[in-house]
Amino acid sequence: MEGDAKIEHVESPTNSQQTISDDDEIDYSVKPEFYDPEVDAKDEIWAQKVRKGRQSDAVLSCPACFTTLCVECQRHEKYVTQYRAIFVVNCKIGNGQVREISAKPKKGKRRRESSESEEATAVAETCKPVCCCICSTNVGIIDEDEVYHFFNVLPSES
């Protein structure tokens, strides 16, 4: 009969039922392969080589996957959570999604004479979204002058 199939006992490939403790299997006399005590020094040398001696206000990372996006940037004077940069890594520019940001004239002083030429001088700037190329999280925008403006990033001390 088909219902009387024998159930075979398959042993664990690691024989985990026989293992008493993980400590018994670990050889502490050999350094693990995944540990590198020199990694911090290597990373510092890499960052200095990329920056070419210039200082940065922060190293910017993606808030979703922690991928490094920029190692040389400048913090915004007024909005301290925003940064601008020219050289970035691991970023992609969104295509087709274009935002126009118009500069509003300053409020406060009223003028009796208002000319159309003053309204025409209000600059409309075209910006494209910038995303992390690893996880596609929106991290900022890029303007017409090819300056990246980051506002959704994790800064760390440089």
Side-chain angles (χ1 to χ4, degrees):
M1 295 175 105
E2 294 177 351
D4 293 335
K6 292 183 180 179
I7 299 175
E8 293 182 26
H9 179 66
V10 179
E11 289 189 28
S12 169
T14 60
N15 293 325
S16 61
Q17 292 86 2
Q18 297 174 1
T19 304
I20 297 171
S21 170
D22 288 339
D23 291 336
D24 294 338
E25 294 180 359
I26 298 173
D27 183 10
Y28 289 104
S29 64
V30 178
K31 289 185 179 180
E33 294 177 20
F34 55 84
Y35 176 71
D36 185 2
E38 302 296 322
V39 74
D40 288 336
K42 291 175 186 176
D43 288 346
E44 182 65 27
I45 292 169
W46 174 82
Q48 288 175 356
K49 187 163 70 168
V50 170
R51 288 188 195 146
K52 300 175 184 165
R54 296 182 296 256
Q55 294 295 324
S56 177
D57 288 340
V59 174
L60 305 179
S61 300
C62 174
C65 67
F66 304 112
T67 300
T68 300
L69 302 174
C70 179
V71 294
E72 183 183 344
C73 66
Q74 182 180 27
R75 176 178 264 167
H76 195 281
E77 291 178 2
K78 185 175 179 183
Y79 305 108
V80 294
T81 60
Q82 295 182 13
Y83 297 85
R84 66 179 176 185
I86 297 174
F87 304 108
V88 300
V89 293
N90 301 319
C91 291
K92 63 182 176 183
I93 299 171
N95 292 331
Q97 302 173 349
V98 177
R99 280 196 243 176
E100 284 194 21
I101 300 172
S102 59
K104 296 180 181 178
K106 292 184 179 179
K107 295 180 181 179
K109 293 184 179 180
R110 293 186 183 183
R111 293 190 175 185
R112 293 182 183 178
E113 298 176 13
S114 170
S115 66
E116 292 179 18
S117 63
E118 289 177 354
E119 292 176 11
T121 58
V123 179
E125 193 169 357
T126 305
C127 298
K128 295 181 182 178
V130 175
C131 302
C132 172
C133 68
I134 305 299
C135 67
S136 299
T137 299
N138 187 2
V139 292
I141 58 173
I142 184 169
D143 62 16
E144 292 174 335
D145 298 327
E146 296 183 359
V147 175
Y148 292 83
H149 299 272
F150 293 104
F151 49 82
N152 184 24
V153 291
L154 291 176
S156 63
E157 292 184 20
S158 59

